[in-house]
Amino acid sequence: LYNLRGMLYKASRNYKKAEVFVKKAMELSRALKKEADFAVNQANLGGIYLQEGSTIGIDLERIQEAAKFLESSMPTLTIFGLWHAWATAASNLGRCFTLLGQPPKATPYFQQALRIFENQNDKRNLDIVNRFQKDAEALLRKGAYAKLRVVGD
């Protein structure tokens, strides 16, 4: 329930409350030794930080935090075969790398996420990942990724 409440707060852009509830979910899943739940919660916390860090300008520290949580969730999501959660984390990690000015690192994550969402016939997430990938490719073509606007600039 904590994770669900956190995701509802994320959807309403109340990132502080979203963070509190997802962290509670992480604590509970760790205490109960539910590794899969813990990994899903880690990925969700990364998603919260990504959305928060890219809402108004770019908060590079928050995006870096997001990437850390997303990356650390992925091995456990793989072990438990939670492919949809893995693909969402991969897509979000690709977005982090794009926003951090590293679009070449983003491409493999987008490609893997696209394959999984295609296999699951998940058109909504396919559209999202395709848009993210096109953004990364456009920045790469322009060489503009080093010039992203950063909060405080």
Side-chain angles (χ1 to χ4, degrees):
L1 283 175
Y2 288 125
N3 189 48
L4 178 60
R5 284 188 74 181
M7 294 297 92
L8 291 172
Y9 279 118
K10 176 188 174 207
S12 67
R13 296 181 182 211
N14 187 335
Y15 302 116
K16 296 302 173 202
K17 282 191 177 180
E19 178 182 19
V20 166
F21 279 98
V22 172
K23 281 185 172 181
K24 283 183 183 182
M26 288 173 69
E27 291 171 18
L28 185 59
S29 58
R30 177 172 273 155
L32 296 173
K33 298 184 185 331
K34 295 193 173 217
E35 293 176 51
D37 291 345
F38 184 79
V40 168
N41 295 329
Q42 277 184 307
N44 286 341
L45 187 59
I48 290 166
Y49 289 164
L50 170 60
Q51 188 171 322
E52 179 183 23
S54 60
T55 299
I56 300 173
I58 303 296
D59 180 342
L60 293 179
E61 287 181 22
R62 207 54 160 172
I63 302 295
Q64 289 169 335
E65 279 186 88
K68 181 182 79 169
F69 280 99
L70 292 162
E71 281 181 305
S72 62
S73 73
M74 293 171 78
T76 305
L77 295 173
T78 300
I79 290 168
F80 285 93
L82 298 171
W83 300 115
H84 192 274
W86 190 95
T88 301
S91 171
N92 283 339
L93 186 55
R95 186 72 176 149
C96 287
F97 285 130
T98 300
L99 294 170
L100 291 170
Q102 303 169 16
K105 287 179 79 173
T107 301
Y109 290 104
F110 290 143
Q111 290 173 347
Q112 292 174 61
L114 285 169
R115 278 195 296 274
I116 291 169
F117 290 139
E118 284 171 1
N119 287 337
Q120 296 180 345
N121 200 30
D122 185 337
K123 293 186 186 307
R124 179 183 166 274
N125 279 311
L126 277 170
D127 290 344
I128 292 168
V129 178
N130 275 316
R131 189 179 73 238
F132 287 170
Q133 186 172 19
K134 286 177 185 172
D135 290 347
E137 290 168 355
L139 288 172
L140 192 58
R141 277 192 306 274
K142 292 178 182 176
Y145 51 91
K147 301 172 188 159
L148 288 172
R149 186 169 70 85
V150 177
V151 172
D153 283 356

